[in-house]
Amino acid sequence: MRLTGGGTIMSYAARVLRKGLRRVLWAQISLTFVVAAVAALDAPRPDVLGRVGAALAGGAVAMLGALLLAYSVARADGTGGPASAQLWLYGGAVARFVLAIVFLGLGLGVFHVSPLPFLIAFGLGQAAFLVPGISSGL
């Protein structure tokens, strides 16, 4: 790790965060399919596709948040200074929060998806952010 020359410390931190985000995304994908499978097994016959779709949609909302975090980290790493990097990171956090509210509202309020698998898949997708810390022994 070099201490001089345009953003190498942030680059190291960004590489570590990207590695953790890959683990988070794989955990989110796995958890989403587990929730979808459990929702399919638990659902009455005519409602199977609705519940599986709700679980997949809830997991997709969580995955979009993780992808948005990865994008904002990449943009912050490519900026010229700490002030602009900080703006990208805080802006990404605000965008993730707004994205979650909008998509949860659309899913539950407009499309009337089955709330239990939708929220469980979303919640477990958010809990997947603990995976990098658990796997690294923190």
Side-chain angles (χ1 to χ4, degrees):
M1 173 175 62
R2 297 178 310 194
L3 294 178
T4 60
T8 56
I9 292 175
M10 180 61 189
S11 295
Y12 173 74
R15 279 194 308 269
V16 170
L17 189 55
R18 282 187 210 118
K19 183 179 177 183
L21 281 173
R22 278 193 296 272
R23 288 182 184 158
V24 166
L25 280 170
W26 281 112
Q28 287 176 330
I29 290 168
S30 301
L31 289 169
T32 298
F33 283 121
V34 167
V35 172
V38 169
L41 293 174
D42 186 48
R45 187 81 167 145
D47 198 29
V48 170
L49 288 178
R51 290 193 183 189
V52 169
L56 293 176
V61 172
M63 286 181 244
L64 282 173
L67 290 173
L68 187 59
L69 176 61
Y71 175 76
S72 63
V73 167
R75 293 298 302 207
D77 187 35
T79 59
S84 59
Q86 187 177 20
L87 284 174
W88 272 107
L89 293 174
Y90 282 126
V94 169
R96 286 179 58 220
F97 184 73
V98 169
L99 174 120
I101 289 173
V102 167
F103 280 118
L104 289 173
L106 282 173
L108 295 172
V110 176
F111 296 112
H112 303 290
V113 298
S114 184
L116 194 58
F118 185 71
L119 293 174
I120 288 174
F122 175 75
L124 287 177
Q126 295 303 313
F129 279 99
L130 298 173
V131 167
I134 293 169
S135 64
S136 68
L138 293 177

